[in-house]
Amino acid sequence: MIKVLVADDQEMVREGFSALLDAQEDITVVGAAGDGVAAVAGVRRLRPDVVLMDVRMPEMDGLAATRLLADDPVRVLVLTTFDLDDYVYEALRAGASGFLLKHAPARELLDAVRVVARGDALLAPSVTKRLIEDFVRARPTAVVKPAPLAALTGRETEVLRLVATGLSNAEIAAHLVLAEQTVKTHVSRVLMKLGVRDRAQAVIAAYESGLVVPG
């Protein structure tokens, strides 16, 4: 059972998401919050697996709340609209596992929660890739801490590069002519060596280290 906490300052949105999620056999909503402070407190009290985190909230926004939860095992799924792309990028850097557009169909929301709970794939890889590329390209002079890529084997580096282009494990397996389980093992080792908890963070590391460049 996937435990979810819904954080959004609009009561109607919270109730709508909660009703949809609670209707699923494998998902249960353990709590809701109307601001970032309550969201962080709720995570620490209720121990959900996933938080649906709105960006713009009173008291503390979703970005600041995500930063405070960076060391928590909970996975943060940021809720946003296209005009908040800058916040989404910063949220991914702060530790979010992915993002979802607020007007996405119900099935996408349900799939997103399950994907983030598993931690084995990015949400909307092509969109995430484009978002990261746009902001890395827009900030070429930014000083970033290089990822410890030297610890990766040649094959692991190759897998990370393909992950950063938005490919799924199955697509990487086909590209490298490997078994999908072998790719999963490589991805797990990459995450461990980079000290990140999921693919979203690995993509950030790949771009900010220069392993993958925009375009």
Side-chain angles (χ1 to χ4, degrees), residues 128-207:
T128 302
K129 173 177 174 285
R130 183 173 68 248
L131 174 70
I132 294 172
E133 283 190 347
D134 287 345
F135 280 91
V136 172
R137 183 184 294 110
R139 304 174 185 184
T141 59
V143 177
V144 297
K145 182 178 179 180
L149 299 185
L152 303 182
T153 65
R155 178 63 86 185
E156 289 165 354
T157 300
E158 190 173 17
V159 168
L160 174 59
R161 184 180 289 109
L162 294 174
V163 166
T165 64
L167 297 186
S168 66
N169 285 346
E171 291 168 333
I172 294 172
H175 183 82
L176 298 178
V177 194
L178 296 172
E180 186 172 349
Q181 185 57 49
T182 300
V183 173
K184 289 182 179 180
T185 299
H186 284 312
V187 171
S188 295
R189 289 174 179 167
V190 167
L191 300 184
M192 179 185 67
K193 290 182 178 181
L194 295 183
V196 297
R197 62 182 176 181
D198 57 36
R199 294 167 76 107
Q201 304 308 306
V203 170
I204 293 289
Y207 275 96

Side-chain angles (χ1 to χ4, degrees), residues 53-172:
M53 184 79 77
D54 188 22
V55 173
R56 290 181 174 175
M57 293 187 292
E59 302 298 329
M60 177 189 294
D61 64 28
L63 179 58
T66 298
R67 286 199 187 100
L68 289 178
L69 295 172
D71 294 327
D72 194 282
V74 70
R75 298 187 182 278
V76 177
L77 174 57
V78 175
L79 297 172
T80 186
T81 56
F82 277 122
D83 62 328
L84 293 176
D85 280 352
D86 193 18
Y87 289 99
V88 174
Y89 178 76
E90 294 301 333
L92 289 171
R93 291 191 66 189
S97 295
F99 70 94
L100 185 71
L101 299 177
K102 277 193 170 183
H103 58 264
R107 189 170 75 173
E108 286 190 18
L109 170 64
L110 298 175
D111 289 344
V113 169
R114 293 178 178 118
V115 166
V116 169
R118 291 197 307 266
D120 62 357
L122 281 174
L123 294 177
S126 61
V127 177
T128 302
K129 173 177 174 285
R130 183 173 68 248
L131 174 70
I132 294 172
E133 283 190 347
D134 287 345
F135 280 91
V136 172
R137 183 184 294 110
R139 304 174 185 184
T141 59
V143 177
V144 297
K145 182 178 179 180
L149 299 185
L152 303 182
T153 65
R155 178 63 86 185
E156 289 165 354
T157 300
E158 190 173 17
V159 168
L160 174 59
R161 184 180 289 109
L162 294 174
V163 166
T165 64
L167 297 186
S168 66
N169 285 346
E171 291 168 333
I172 294 172

